[in-house]
Amino acid sequence: MGVATPWLLHIFLGIVAASWVETINQAGMQTTLSQMMTKEFLLISRGTKVSMYKSMLFSSMQRFNSTLHALRVGDESRGILAAPNHQVVAALDAVQDVWGPMQELLNSNVDSVRHADGSIDMQVLEDLSSRNVPLLDRSNEVVQAISDAAQVFGATTNGLVQNIAGRQRTLIQRLAEGVLLLAQNVAMSKNMVAFQDTKILFEESHHGIIEGVPFAGLPVLDKLCTIHQMSEVSYFYAKLRPLLNGVSNADTPSKSQAAADAVAEEVVELVDPLYVAMVEAVDLYGHDSGNCDPVSSMTEAEWSEFLTTFAHQQLWTQQATQYFVQVAMKVDIKTSQVEITVLKSEATLNLRRLIEGSKILGIPPPPTPEVVDHLLKAAEIWNTLESELDEGIHLESISEVTLERVELLSHKLLHELELVMEECLPLLVNSTVPVYAMDLAEQLARLASMIVEEALLIHHGHAVEENWHYLNATREVFNFNRWTLLHGAPATTTRPKVEQVSDVCIVQQMKRGTDLYRVLEEKALAVAFGDHDALEPLVQLGPTAVGALNELALSFFRGNGSCSNSSMAPEQWIQLHRQVAQLSDTSAELAVELVLFQQGLSPNDERLNALMEEVDSALTRVMFGSFDPPVPAPPDQIDFNELLLYMEPSVKELKRLSIANAYQGNLRAALAAEDQLMEHTLVLQEHFMKEALAMDPTWPGERVDLALRQITRVRQVLNEALLYTLGLTDSQERLQAVTEAFQAGHVHLRDGGDRVPKILLPERQDILDQWLRVDSAWIEFQQQKQDMTADSVTKVEASLGRLVLSLKALVSVLAVPDVEDEDGFPWAVIIYSSIGFLFLCACCCFCCKIKTRSKGQSEKKTTTNGAAVSDQV
């Protein structure tokens, strides 16, 4: 019995406490009914749905009377306690004194206030306006008297909060009543003041019972179900407020009357759902048992809005801290101060939306009590951080202590926000909302801001070791997030799946954002290592990089990216062409190494693994672009689909089969996968070549493409030779085919044809010289291959290596366009003709000289004879 007695007492006290709460609640409803009855009478006087509002008026009057009686004598069925003391009785008597005349006024004039001709008995309305306020005041005194009595009896009633929440019901009705009085031109001056005061009081009370007013004893609202219900109140009031503003902002009584008359019916319609929502909220303020499940009713659109808003909060918090560090380090001070001011305002409003929700913006309140707790802790930290930011930016110099405090508060705040995400991720494991991808994408923008902040702190000697740790961690997380977003990741028990990117626009955005981040990273490292000249470029580039990555994050939120319409430059097409050729070459080399390793002719699997990684890397560069080497992202969805649907699966299959068959005897499946990959690469290689040529017809693409294919072909020659030599195939048909293909290509490069120009001489002697080196290496390789045995494979590989190097050198010289006259002047013909002409002239000169010499001798002889004759004359 000794154990049961405290238990029974606890139950009894709980019942009594609940009765006190309900009694206060019903007393508060009396104040609401006082304004509701006035509103309903005013609607009747306007001729608005007269029959309906008469019925509602009589119902309200009856309810007021019954509750007034129950508050005096009690009503167990309604949970209302009898008046507990003389103060409450006296307050009830005062209500009865003013209610009697007002009740008589309503009953006597409900059918006559509006005349048959549509005119209104203004005296009745003025009497009603004057009697309405005393009834409201006396009813409020009853509420206060009962609340005081509850305190005396030691009942837990949450009195102040519940009283203010209950008063909101009354103020809602009073807002509608005020508009109706103004619309009918009743005591304009007095009622305009009353209307404006009511509006201000409602709004201040609304914020107070949600956000708390510590000095007034109002706690922060932290109950999940009540928060969700109050978001409904906020939503309906947000729709009502513009109409109320139109009335209160009018600058003359006549304009106020006209504005109120224009919106009266609309105001009444909006007040009804607002009032219902507030009534439910008041009940929850009295006893929120947490018996609600917002997660089950949250739509994907609501989740997306909540997570987007949440991402903004994380980014803005980080950016505000970064700019504060810039101010502290005296880097770009003016711009940083402006940014802090803007970010503080945005972050404060944004955090309230996360806690309270904003149905009108599509943002739901928090999904769980745990999220509420973390957000409220974040808000508490943010209030302190905001004060530090605000104070710090107005100081001429920021102390080390203040800087450390801001850094500490920022880390704590971001940690609380990370805990929010940790709570949300498991809730969406089976959802189609890409919450984990959204979180990873948002982090990219935040990390770009973080790396600037960390580099600045290191540069100025602030917690150097710690910030170096943060900076390197930032770089690692950026790379992890980037590749997880691009390649995707499976779901786990604590986080949902990340789908592999399939939208080329997101790939292009990732490339642009990552390129900017890489430059930012270079500048950050330079600053961290003490390069003062890199400070300005770092802080100038920061916002651009953050902006690009934030836009990328929004694309993950939306599910699709935005492509730039600018076409790629010729060099970008050429880079793609080279990378696909590299993929083709590496896959062919992988096939050779697989045969060697499987047959025990390779010392270990290091080379095989390295080649598989290089195949992956080459494909990755083609699929997603690369900063170094500079490779663009795929230009359109068609090309990306080719990579995503055919190239990538082929590479995966090649790797899978290569690993599976590395230690087994059957290589055909792996080699068939390599053949399939080769088909796809050659098609894409040709496509990129044609696109590059279309952009730049002067690029010697056909011969470069042919030379690149030669590198792949010669590896295929070795592969087929190995298969035949090692007895893995009994036919030389494929070996003969690839050998002939290489030889034909080799001659083609020299002699030209089919859009490949022949070697231009004498201008391109460099090409001919390198072609001859390739020719020599090819002959050597052929000889080594012909005599190849299992023991001489190494020598054959070495000769192949020399041939490949010669071919790569040939690619380099072939990539240089031939230099010709702009008008296509035939220099070669002219040069050879000139040489021939000079040679002919030389011959002629020689002949002339001989002829001249003979003629001279003849003339000399004649002259001599003539002299003799003359002598003779």
Side-chain angles (χ1 to χ4, degrees):
M1 191 71 181
V3 176
T5 301
W7 178 73
L8 290 173
L9 180 61
H10 179 74
I11 293 176
F12 172 74
L13 291 175
I15 293 172
V16 171
S19 297
W20 279 110
V21 169
E22 184 57 25
T23 301
I24 294 171
N25 180 42
Q26 290 300 323
M29 276 301 297
Q30 292 293 84
T31 67
T32 303
L33 287 169
S34 73
Q35 304 308 296
M36 190 180 293
M37 291 183 290
T38 303
K39 179 195 75 173
E40 290 160 349
F41 189 88
L42 288 169
L43 285 165
I44 294 168
S45 72
R46 280 178 65 87
T48 304
K49 300 178 181 177
V50 173
S51 176
M52 181 183 77
Y53 282 112
K54 277 185 180 180
S55 175
M56 293 174 66
L57 174 61
F58 293 140
S59 175
S60 298
M61 292 167 66
Q62 180 181 2
R63 184 178 176 187
F64 188 91
N65 280 321
S66 65
T67 303
L68 187 62
H69 178 71
L71 289 171
R72 190 181 294 274
V73 301
D75 186 338
E76 186 177 350
S77 65
R78 295 172 64 184
I80 299 175
L81 298 172
N85 56 35
H86 293 298
Q87 287 83 359
V88 174
V89 172
L92 290 170
D93 289 341
V95 169
Q96 186 63 55
D97 289 342
V98 296
W99 166 236
M102 180 171 166
Q103 182 178 20
E104 176 62 26
L105 176 69
L106 295 173
N107 280 323
S108 301
N109 295 282
V110 67
D111 293 321
S112 61
V113 66
R114 185 176 181 83
H115 303 149
D117 60 0
S119 61
I120 301 171
D121 190 337
M122 293 301 296
Q123 185 59 50
V124 171
L125 296 188
E126 289 175 1
D127 288 348
L128 178 63
S129 176
S130 65
R131 294 181 182 280
N132 165 63
V133 175
L135 179 60
L136 172 62
D137 292 341
R138 300 295 85 75
S139 297
N140 274 324
E141 289 169 3
V142 172
V143 175
Q144 187 59 54
I146 296 175
S147 297
D148 292 342
Q151 273 191 312
V152 172
F153 280 85
T156 304
T157 63
N158 198 22
L160 180 60
V161 177
Q162 190 179 12
N163 286 351
I164 294 175
R167 187 181 66 191
Q168 293 293 84
R169 299 172 300 191
T170 302
L171 295 177
I172 290 169
Q173 296 297 326
R174 189 160 172 73
L175 286 169
E177 169 204 310
V179 170
L180 290 169
L181 286 169
L182 293 173
Q184 298 183 78
N185 204 24
V186 178
M188 290 296 293
S189 297
K190 182 185 73 172
N191 284 317
M192 175 54 77
V193 171
F195 172 71
Q196 291 173 332
D197 289 346
T198 301
K199 180 174 175 293
I200 292 171
L201 182 58
F202 178 85
E203 291 177 359
E204 290 179 347
S205 300
H206 181 70
H207 293 302
I209 60 177
I210 296 174
E211 300 172 23
V213 183
F215 69 85
L218 280 179
V220 174
L221 176 58
D222 59 358
K223 301 297 184 182
L224 180 68
C225 301
T226 310
I227 288 174
H228 274 261
Q229 186 57 39
M230 285 302 292
S231 78
E232 292 291 315
V233 176
S234 299
Y235 169 68
F236 288 116
Y237 186 68
K239 297 176 72 175
L240 175 64
R241 191 169 187 268
L243 303 179
L244 303 180
N245 286 341
V247 176
S248 64
N249 293 339
D251 55 4
T252 65
S254 61
K255 290 182 179 178
S256 296
Q257 191 273 330
D261 187 57
V263 300
E265 273 72 24
E266 189 175 358
V267 165
V268 171
E269 287 181 5
L270 288 172
V271 156
D272 287 345
L274 173 61
Y275 170 73
V276 171
M278 193 66 230
V279 168
E280 294 182 16
V282 172
D283 289 342
L284 288 169
Y285 271 106
H287 43 79
D288 186 347
S289 61
N291 188 25
C292 59
D293 183 17
V295 174
S296 63
S297 60
M298 282 180 69
T299 65
E300 291 189 3
E302 287 176 325
W303 270 114
S304 294
E305 284 299 327
F306 179 81
L307 294 169
T308 302
T309 307
F310 179 76
H312 289 156
Q313 191 64 34
Q314 291 179 294
L315 178 59
W316 292 340
T317 300
Q318 169 54 43
Q319 285 185 291
T321 308
Q322 175 208 322
Y323 286 119
F324 184 85
V325 170
Q326 290 181 191
V327 173
M329 304 306 176
K330 301 187 183 303
V331 179
D332 200 16
I333 296 176
K334 294 299 182 183
T335 300
S336 300
Q337 289 173 332
V338 171
E339 291 294 338
I340 290 172
T341 302
V342 173
L343 287 167
K344 283 198 302 98
S345 175
E346 291 178 336
T348 300
L349 178 60
N350 197 68
L351 188 53
R352 292 315 313 172
R353 287 171 178 165
L354 281 171
I355 296 171
E356 302 173 26
S358 176
K359 188 174 179 180
I360 205 160
L361 296 177
I363 304 169
T368 67
E370 293 77 15
V371 173
V372 171
D373 290 343
H374 289 306
L375 286 174
L376 289 176
K377 289 178 183 176
E380 185 178 350
I381 298 170
W382 171 250
N383 288 337
T384 306
L385 176 59
E386 185 181 20
S387 299
E388 294 288 348
L389 293 172
D390 190 55
E391 182 179 351
I393 62 175
H394 294 97
L395 298 174
E396 290 186 6
S397 179
I398 295 175
S399 68
E400 190 75 10
V401 173
T402 301
L403 180 59
E404 288 180 359
R405 180 164 172 75
V406 167
E407 284 284 301
L408 179 62
L409 288 169
S410 177
H411 289 159
K412 284 184 175 180
L413 175 54
L414 289 171
H415 176 66
E416 286 298 333
L417 295 177
E418 287 169 3
L419 293 177
V420 169
M421 183 56 68
E422 289 181 14
E423 291 291 340
C424 291
L425 285 174
L427 302 176
L428 294 166
V429 167
N430 298 317
S431 169
T432 58
V433 178
V435 56
Y436 188 42
M438 294 162 73
D439 180 43
L440 293 175
E442 180 279 329
Q443 286 184 41
L444 295 180
R446 190 151 40 98
L447 292 165
S449 173
M450 290 170 64
I451 202 172
V452 175
E453 175 189 336
E454 290 151 359
L456 289 171
L457 291 169
I458 294 169
H459 184 84
H460 288 83
H462 179 80
V464 173
E465 184 176 351
E466 181 181 13
N467 281 300
W468 263 117
H469 171 74
Y470 286 144
L471 188 146
N472 288 325
T474 296
R475 298 166 65 200
E476 291 177 7
V477 174
F478 188 95
N479 287 328
F480 173 82
N481 286 13
R482 177 197 176 198
W483 292 120
T484 302
L485 287 167
L486 290 173
H487 291 301
T492 67
T493 55
T494 58
R495 64 170 187 249
K497 179 180 182 180
V498 177
E499 295 287 350
Q500 183 176 9
V501 170
S502 59
D503 184 345
V504 74
C505 295
I506 291 183
V507 173
Q508 291 178 5
Q509 283 185 280
M510 178 69 82
K511 176 65 168 59
R512 288 194 295 273
T514 301
D515 283 356
L516 286 168
Y517 173 80
R518 291 302 176 207
V519 178
L520 188 72
E521 183 182 38
E522 291 176 355
K523 300 298 181 186
L525 289 172
V527 167
F529 281 116
D531 185 353
H532 191 76
D533 293 337
L535 277 172
E536 184 176 351
L538 175 67
V539 298
Q540 294 297 325
L541 179 61
T544 304
V546 170
L549 292 166
N550 188 46
E551 183 62 30
L552 170 68
L554 294 176
S555 293
F556 276 97
F557 295 158
R558 294 189 299 260
N560 62 285
S562 57
C563 284
S564 58
N565 295 322
S566 58
S567 59
M568 291 203 309
E571 179 58 29
Q572 292 177 302
W573 286 109
I574 293 171
Q575 289 165 346
L576 283 172
H577 175 257
R578 289 172 184 163
Q579 289 302 317
V580 174
Q582 177 65 38
L583 175 59
S584 177
D585 175 36
T586 309
S587 66
E589 190 175 2
L590 174 62
V592 171
E593 184 62 26
L594 178 60
V595 173
L596 293 173
F597 180 77
Q598 193 266 352
Q599 294 298 306
L601 298 177
S602 186
N604 53 53
D605 61 358
E606 288 184 7
R607 178 64 180 159
L608 185 66
N609 292 334
L611 285 169
M612 283 192 284
E613 288 180 7
E614 180 52 34
V615 167
D616 256 349
S617 297
L619 175 67
T620 298
R621 289 192 290 271
V622 177
M623 285 187 71
F624 305 119
S626 167
F627 180 71
D628 185 21
V631 181
D636 56 44
Q637 191 66 47
I638 295 175
D639 287 333
F640 188 60
N641 286 345
E642 177 72 22
L643 291 161
L644 191 65
L645 301 177
Y646 301 106
M647 295 281 285
E648 186 180 41
S650 294
V651 167
K652 287 182 177 178
E653 182 67 1
L654 173 60
K655 286 183 61 182
R656 185 186 70 80
L657 292 172
S658 295
I659 294 170
N661 291 296
Y663 303 97
Q664 299 175 10
N666 181 14
L667 296 177
R668 295 199 178 278
L671 296 178
E674 196 276 335
D675 286 343
Q676 185 180 36
L677 174 60
M678 191 68 63
E679 290 178 12
H680 293 307
T681 56
L682 292 177
V683 170
L684 202 58
Q685 186 174 327
E686 182 177 9
H687 167 61
F688 290 151
M689 177 196 70
K690 289 180 177 178
E691 292 290 348
L693 283 170
M695 296 293 296
D696 182 10
T698 65
W699 176 59
E702 286 90 350
R703 68 188 186 191
V704 170
D705 183 71
L706 178 55
L708 289 169
R709 290 171 188 255
Q710 288 291 86
I711 298 174
T712 301
R713 284 171 180 163
V714 77
R715 295 197 192 279
Q716 291 176 315
V717 169
L718 176 58
N719 191 49
E720 294 300 328
L722 282 170
L723 291 174
Y724 183 76
T725 300
L726 299 175
L728 299 174
T729 181
D730 55 3
S731 171
Q732 296 192 59
E733 183 177 344
R734 283 173 59 93
L735 173 60
Q736 185 67 28
V738 292
T739 301
E740 290 175 356
F742 182 89
Q743 182 62 39
H746 184 52
V747 174
H748 194 181
L749 285 169
R750 181 192 64 189
D751 298 341
D754 190 24
R755 298 187 303 278
V756 175
K758 68 179 181 179
I759 299 176
L760 182 64
L761 293 174
E763 294 89 346
R764 299 310 307 270
Q765 185 65 39
D766 58 331
I767 295 180
L768 180 58
D769 290 344
Q770 189 58 40
W771 184 91
L772 290 171
R773 294 186 187 98
V774 171
D775 188 65
S776 176
W778 168 241
I779 292 171
E780 178 196 352
F781 172 67
Q782 285 280 69
Q783 291 172 347
Q784 294 283 355
K785 172 179 68 69
Q786 189 171 359
D787 300 330
M788 182 173 61
T789 63
D791 294 332
S792 65
V793 167
T794 303
K795 291 182 179 179
V796 179
E797 280 190 284
S799 67
L800 174 67
R802 289 188 288 274
L803 175 55
V804 168
L805 289 175
S806 297
L807 283 166
K808 289 181 177 179
L810 179 60
V811 170
S812 297
V813 294
L814 288 172
V816 179
D818 294 340
V819 178
E820 293 183 297
D821 184 70
E822 293 181 0
D823 298 324
F825 194 74
W827 283 108
V829 175
I830 296 300
I831 291 171
Y832 285 119
S833 298
S834 299
I835 293 172
F837 177 73
L838 291 173
F839 179 75
L840 180 60
C841 289
C843 291
C844 291
C845 288
F846 180 73
C847 292
C848 288
K849 190 173 182 182
I850 293 175
K851 185 175 181 181
T852 302
R853 183 180 298 175
S854 298
K855 183 178 179 182
Q857 291 175 347
S858 176
E859 288 177 350
K860 186 176 180 183
K861 184 176 181 181
T862 303
T863 303
T864 304
N865 292 337
V869 170
S870 178
D871 288 346
Q872 291 177 352
V873 173

